[in-house]
Amino acid sequence: MPTTSRGYRYPAASSAPNVPLDLGNLAADVDADIAALIAWTDYTPTWTAATTNPVAGANATLYGRYQQIGKRITYVGYISMGNTTTYGSGAWLISLPVTAKTVATVQALYPGSAYLFDNSVTANRQPAAAVLYDTTHLFLSTMSGSAAATVPFTWATSDAAHWSITYEAA
């Protein structure tokens, strides 16, 4: 049976008509195609800093997942600090799962949002912007500056950074 460029089966011109079977095949192929298009892929981000890299430690969690539909990437993730985490120095950078499109003013793009959670203060969530730093990293920009060891608060065990961004792939 011949297929389209997307893998949809269709009857050959010489085939006897079987409308229920042919429509069933088409429906199954479209369903499979859509499921593949909207699937999420797990991704473990790399966490670095401008001066000295942080170290997550044994009981910290770095997690991400992304969805790519065409050139649109939706990426969500978080870092949850452990008691052996060290925070480095300088602004934190978090890797992107898929290289972003190069634009002249990539640093000016604010493709998403974030919140930073200080566990030592009840319900203390600091809003932030998830900003493309370059084509392979984002940073978290707060009213106090870029997220870092002491920005927007002094980070400690059970604190966390969460982000969600959408950007164009290269």
Side-chain angles (χ1 to χ4, degrees):
M1 181 172 278
T3 60
T4 68
S5 62
R6 293 203 59 89
Y8 300 169
R9 295 170 285 178
Y10 63 92
S14 60
S15 299
N18 187 338
V19 174
L21 176 64
D22 296 339
L23 285 176
N25 287 339
L26 177 62
D29 294 345
V30 169
D31 282 349
D33 194 29
I34 290 171
L37 283 172
I38 62 173
W40 286 86
T41 303
D42 285 339
Y43 172 73
T44 302
T46 301
W47 180 31
T48 58
T51 307
T52 305
N53 288 338
V55 177
N59 57 356
T61 303
L62 281 91
Y63 175 77
R65 66 185 189 138
Y66 70 96
Q67 179 184 62
Q68 181 168 0
I69 299 176
K71 289 201 167 255
R72 188 190 75 198
I73 306 297
T74 301
Y75 170 37
V76 297
Y78 66 89
I79 300 170
S80 177
M81 311 307 174
N83 64 3
T84 59
T85 300
T86 61
Y87 302 97
S89 61
W92 292 343
L93 300 175
I94 301 162
S95 63
L96 298 174
V98 175
T99 301
K101 179 181 179 181
T102 301
V103 288
T105 56
V106 71
Q107 292 85 354
L109 297 177
Y110 291 83
S113 60
Y115 74 88
L116 311 178
F117 177 71
D118 181 355
N119 190 53
S120 64
V121 178
T122 303
N124 184 14
R125 288 177 176 84
Q126 300 284 324
V131 180
L132 290 179
Y133 175 76
D134 57 21
T135 61
T136 58
H137 296 91
L138 65 86
F139 69 97
L140 306 175
S141 179
T142 73
M143 296 295 288
S144 307
S146 297
T150 58
V151 179
F153 45 78
T154 300
W155 292 79
T157 302
S158 299
D159 292 346
H162 298 255
W163 63 88
S164 174
I165 67 170
T166 298
Y167 63 94
E168 184 179 356

